[in-house]
Amino acid sequence: MKSINKILYCNYKLLKKVNSFYSGKINIIKTWSRSSCIIPRFVGLTIYVHNGKRHLPVFIKREMIGHKLGEFSFTRTFRGHPKGKKFVRNDRRKK
């Protein structure tokens, strides 16, 4: 959990979108603000966070409060380890 002394940053436009979602004006919340903190008002919402290429859906849970939105929208894809070379251990112990 974040320190209590630090000020939490949340983008003003994102807050406006969340309020208009609760009032029924919009259906989807998209944001480019990866640095915004997750506040308790976001719990239960699915926010589409931009990862540099596309918007990825992030379902907000209670445990995520205090973290940044960008922590849950990954920017790099893991394609696996290289298949070519495997590490072979030489077992040269004295018997």
Side-chain angles (χ1 to χ4, degrees), residues 4-19:
I4 296 173
N5 298 334
K6 294 182 183 177
I7 298 173
L8 298 178
Y9 168 75
C10 191
N11 192 358
Y12 178 71
K13 288 185 179 182
L14 179 62
L15 289 174
K16 279 177 52 176
K17 288 179 184 180
V18 169
N19 289 336

Side-chain angles (χ1 to χ4, degrees), residues 50-66:
H50 198 256
N51 72 343
K53 188 174 183 180
R54 62 179 65 106
H55 288 87
L56 298 179
V58 176
F59 180 74
I60 308 297
K61 299 177 188 170
R62 203 168 156 226
E63 295 83 25
M64 296 180 181
I65 294 175

Side-chain angles (χ1 to χ4, degrees), residues 2-91:
K2 292 281 187 181
S3 173
I4 296 173
N5 298 334
K6 294 182 183 177
I7 298 173
L8 298 178
Y9 168 75
C10 191
N11 192 358
Y12 178 71
K13 288 185 179 182
L14 179 62
L15 289 174
K16 279 177 52 176
K17 288 179 184 180
V18 169
N19 289 336
S20 60
F21 177 81
Y22 279 123
S23 66
K25 294 179 182 176
I26 61 172
N27 296 331
I28 296 173
I29 301 171
K30 282 186 179 181
T31 185
W32 281 261
S33 176
R34 298 171 53 86
S35 62
S36 292
C37 271
I38 297 173
I39 58 176
R41 183 132 172 99
F42 296 171
V43 174
L45 296 178
T46 301
I47 299 175
Y48 288 80
V49 183
H50 198 256
N51 72 343
K53 188 174 183 180
R54 62 179 65 106
H55 288 87
L56 298 179
V58 176
F59 180 74
I60 308 297
K61 299 177 188 170
R62 203 168 156 226
E63 295 83 25
M64 296 180 181
I65 294 175
H67 290 274
K68 306 281 185 183
L69 282 173
E71 295 180 39
F72 306 103
S73 176
F74 300 112
T75 57
R76 298 180 182 167
T77 56
F78 178 69
R79 294 192 176 107
H81 296 289
K83 304 281 188 213
K85 297 180 180 179
K86 286 196 173 184
F87 178 72
V88 179
R89 182 177 168 190
N90 292 333
D91 197 12

